Amino acid sequence: MEVIIAKPDELARLAACAYEQLLRRRPDAVLGLATGSSPLAVYDELVRRHTDEGLSFAQARAFNLDEYVGLPAEHPQRYLNVIRHDFTDRVDFAPGAVQGPDGLADDLAAACTSYEDAIAAAGGVDLQIMGIGTDGHIAFNEPGSSLASSTRIKTLTEQTRADNARFFGGDVDKVPQHCLTQGLATVMRARHIVLVATGRSKADAIHQLVEGPVSAMWPGTILQHHPHVSVLVDTAAASRLQLADYFRSTYAAKPAWQGL
């Protein structure tokens, strides 16, 4: 696990560089996408590189981490609509190249199995971007989630619903109680994971993720067992890291040729 502490604009640049280097090398790469606030600056930087520098997503495929259950297809907070608005409709993904779990399926369990199969059929995710919740969840794997879990239906905690109420006009009652989410084992199969977190509210989760014991109570800690994870945090999110000075020194000494 590599931890980089930098200003938010530098974090966005680093994450975008990882995507660009992958796509220049493998235009048909499989990308993992996430909604929420954490990736927005990364997506803006990728859109800039597409517009100004010709970075193409035309041959790539992408999979979302999760989806609410029961939101109408046209609802602006349905995650497939959110990712289109924030990113994929602003670049040149081919029609149908971006998929998410089907939160409107009649058989939700079958939809979860189908989603797992679709990711596997695409060859697995090459690069997954994600954030982390204040309670340590990644994707929608809430505290107590099985570390061996696959894509499934989950009940959201009241903390997660309260955190997400800002996307629903501040009304927590409008936030769905259920979601479909890639499981922790599913996430762990991505070849490279880039986790972005900013702000003091994420400091406890980042401390646990990087320095705490691996525990289902802090689901993100499973990433300690992944062979290639880049944790990109600003000073506020890094404020509880005991090894913060070490992480700063290792980044300062990092060879120029070495990417994430």
Side-chain angles (χ1 to χ4, degrees):
M1 178 180 287
E2 179 181 28
V3 179
I4 295 175
I5 303 169
K7 294 180 179 180
D9 58 346
E10 173 69 2
L11 303 179
R13 186 192 68 80
L14 288 169
C17 282
Y19 271 107
E20 179 169 10
Q21 289 167 7
L22 172 63
L23 287 166
R24 300 289 188 194
R25 185 174 73 250
R26 285 191 51 206
D28 61 347
V30 179
L31 310 179
L33 304 179
T35 53
S37 302
S38 297
L40 291 179
V42 180
Y43 295 151
D44 286 344
E45 175 61 15
L46 287 171
V47 171
R48 187 197 67 77
R49 294 179 187 212
H50 167 71
T51 303
D52 297 345
E53 301 171 12
L55 179 62
S56 178
F57 298 80
Q59 298 180 52
R61 295 187 63 180
F63 291 90
N64 277 4
L65 279 174
D66 39 37
E67 182 59 90
Y68 289 117
V69 169
L71 285 185
E74 69 280 1
H75 195 287
Q77 289 306 315
R78 184 172 180 249
Y79 278 163
L80 202 56
N81 295 333
V82 171
I83 204 66
R84 287 170 176 161
H85 175 271
D86 290 345
F87 179 44
T88 61
D89 279 0
R90 301 166 65 196
V91 294
D92 60 341
F93 278 103
V98 180
Q99 296 178 243
D102 186 359
L104 291 173
D106 292 331
D107 187 336
L108 292 173
C112 291
T113 300
S114 177
Y115 200 59
E116 285 276 324
D117 291 344
I119 295 172
V125 172
D126 293 303
L127 175 56
Q128 175 70 60
I129 193 167
M130 63 172 53
I132 189 168
T134 57
D135 60 2
H137 74 255
I138 55 173
F140 268 143
N141 293 284
E142 299 283 29
S145 292
S146 167
L147 301 182
S149 53
S150 58
T151 301
R152 69 213 186 284
I153 187 170
K154 286 291 292 181
T155 302
L156 300 176
T157 66
E158 290 309 305
Q159 180 64 58
T160 296
R161 295 180 71 224
D163 287 346
N164 287 1
R166 67 190 189 278
F167 300 116
F168 292 82
D171 188 348
V172 69
D173 291 331
K174 293 182 179 179
V175 183
Q177 290 186 309
H178 298 100
C179 66
L180 302 185
T181 182
Q182 288 187 32
L184 293 172
T186 313
V187 170
M188 288 288 285
R189 285 193 285 271
R191 296 175 184 88
H192 181 193
I193 296 172
V194 176
L195 187 145
V196 181
T198 58
R200 181 61 182 82
S201 66
K202 301 297 178 74
D204 289 342
I206 290 299
H207 166 59
Q208 293 292 336
L209 167 69
V210 176
E211 298 173 336
V214 176
S215 168
M217 288 302 295
W218 292 90
T221 59
I222 188 63
L223 298 182
Q224 292 179 27
H225 288 303
H226 194 281
H228 191 186
V229 177
S230 306
V231 178
L232 310 182
V233 291
D234 68 356
T235 299
S239 60
R240 286 209 59 215
L241 291 177
Q242 293 174 292
L243 296 174
D245 288 342
Y246 172 69
F247 296 136
R248 289 188 176 96
S249 68
T250 56
Y251 182 52
K254 187 172 183 174
W257 54 263
Q258 188 180 44
L260 289 186

